[in-house]
């Protein structure tokens, strides 16, 4: 059960994306929701948003690095078993990080537009490419403003593309990351790569959610 960050289980993307939305944003068991984590960091920072965001990024970079280390240590002997878990774990960390940053900056993680933006942040540069191919000119408008201008059916198509891209990336990561074939050496490499990935997502989210939510046209 989530801890106050309940998110509907239905999602217009694929199953992986649905799980990331439900668990990464909504939380499950001891894995706290993005809203809860954002509120805790804001409280620790005495309400200073910039400090809270900086600490959110640091917390999740450490989580990602720890996950990468644990799922990489076995090398070739355990790669088949641990690679899917490692990818999913990194995605969960990055999804919650982006959603928590959005929450700390005043956006509602239950808003479907915010959720789409969160997952685009997880994709990083690939997310920006998808947004632009969907018709959002990121030179002219912010990602959030562009997403709010999209018809619902177009945004839902974008959700499905995000799911496909995340799943495809997970496959490439699990199969082609040859550094994971070397036991012990693979651990620190996996930890470093996952930590860098989480920091990159945090940077994208920090830029994406910099401004507080503005009403959509005609709202």
């Amino acid at each position: 059960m989530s801890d106050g960050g309940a998110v509907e289980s239905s999602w217009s993307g694929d199953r992986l994306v649905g799980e990331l939305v439900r668990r990464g944003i909504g939380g499950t068991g001891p894995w706290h929701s993005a809203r809860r984590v954002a509120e805790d960091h804001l409280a620790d920072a005495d309400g200073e948003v910039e400090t809270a965001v900086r600490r959110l990024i640091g917390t999740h970079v450490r989580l990602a690095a720890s996950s990468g280390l644990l799922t990489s240590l076995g090398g070739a002997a355990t790669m088949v078993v641990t690679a899917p878990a490692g990818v999913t774990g990194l995605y969960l960390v990055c999804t919650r990080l982006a959603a928590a940053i959005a929450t700390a900056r005043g956006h509602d993680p239950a808003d479907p537009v915010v959720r789409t933006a969160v997952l685009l942040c997880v994709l990083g540069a690939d997310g920006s490419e998808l947004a632009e191919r969907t018709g959002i000119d990121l030179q002219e408008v912010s990602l959030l403003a562009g997403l709010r201008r999209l018809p619902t059916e177009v945004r839902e198509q974008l959700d499905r593309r995000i799911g496909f891209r995340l799943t495809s990336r997970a496959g490439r990561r699990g199969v082609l990351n040859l550094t994971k074939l070397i036991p012990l050496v693979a651990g620190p490499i996996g930890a470093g790569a996952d930590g860098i990935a989480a920091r990159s997502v945090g940077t994208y989210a920090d830029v994406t959610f910099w401004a507080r939510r503005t009403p959509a046209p005609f709202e």
Side-chain angles (χ1 to χ4, degrees):
M1 179 179 297
S2 64
D3 51 4
V7 175
E8 299 89 340
S9 59
S10 61
W11 183 252
S12 56
D14 67 1
R15 181 177 178 182
L16 170 61
V17 173
E19 285 299 294
L20 291 178
V21 169
R22 186 169 70 87
R23 298 173 184 271
I25 299 178
T28 180
W31 182 256
H32 294 157
S33 70
R35 190 186 302 277
R36 164 79 177 274
V37 171
E39 290 172 349
D40 288 348
H41 279 71
L42 281 168
D44 290 343
D46 296 323
E48 291 290 335
V49 174
E50 300 308 320
T51 300
V53 168
R54 188 166 60 249
R55 290 177 180 175
L56 277 167
I57 293 174
T59 295
H60 287 79
V61 166
R62 289 190 292 273
L63 278 172
S66 298
S67 173
L69 180 64
L70 292 174
T71 57
S72 300
L73 279 175
T78 58
M79 188 175 68
V80 173
V81 175
T82 61
V87 171
T88 304
L90 177 61
Y91 281 172
L92 282 172
V93 169
C94 290
T95 300
R96 191 178 73 174
L97 170 59
I101 290 173
T103 303
R105 294 203 178 280
H107 302 276
D108 182 1
D111 180 344
V113 171
V114 172
R115 293 184 225 156
T116 298
V118 163
L119 292 165
L120 286 170
C121 289
V122 175
L123 279 173
D126 281 353
S128 296
E129 178 202 347
L130 277 179
E132 290 183 334
R133 289 175 60 186
T134 305
I136 300 173
D137 186 348
L138 295 177
Q139 299 299 317
E140 298 292 331
V141 298
S142 68
L143 178 59
L144 277 175
L147 287 172
R148 292 198 184 281
R149 294 179 183 180
L150 294 178
T152 300
E153 61 271 18
V154 174
R155 185 175 50 75
E156 289 176 349
Q157 290 172 6
L158 175 58
D159 294 340
R160 286 189 284 273
R161 293 191 186 103
I162 293 170
F164 176 81
R165 191 68 64 93
L166 284 169
T167 303
S168 176
R169 180 185 285 184
R172 293 197 306 271
R173 179 185 168 91
V175 173
L176 298 179
N177 191 350
L178 300 182
T179 60
K180 289 194 173 184
L181 293 173
I182 308 172
L184 299 182
V185 172
I189 293 175
D194 287 357
I196 291 170
R199 187 171 296 281
S200 176
V201 169
T203 300
Y204 270 96
D206 195 20
V207 172
T208 297
F209 299 110
W210 182 268
R212 295 180 65 87
R213 180 186 180 279
T214 56
F218 312 115
E219 187 175 48

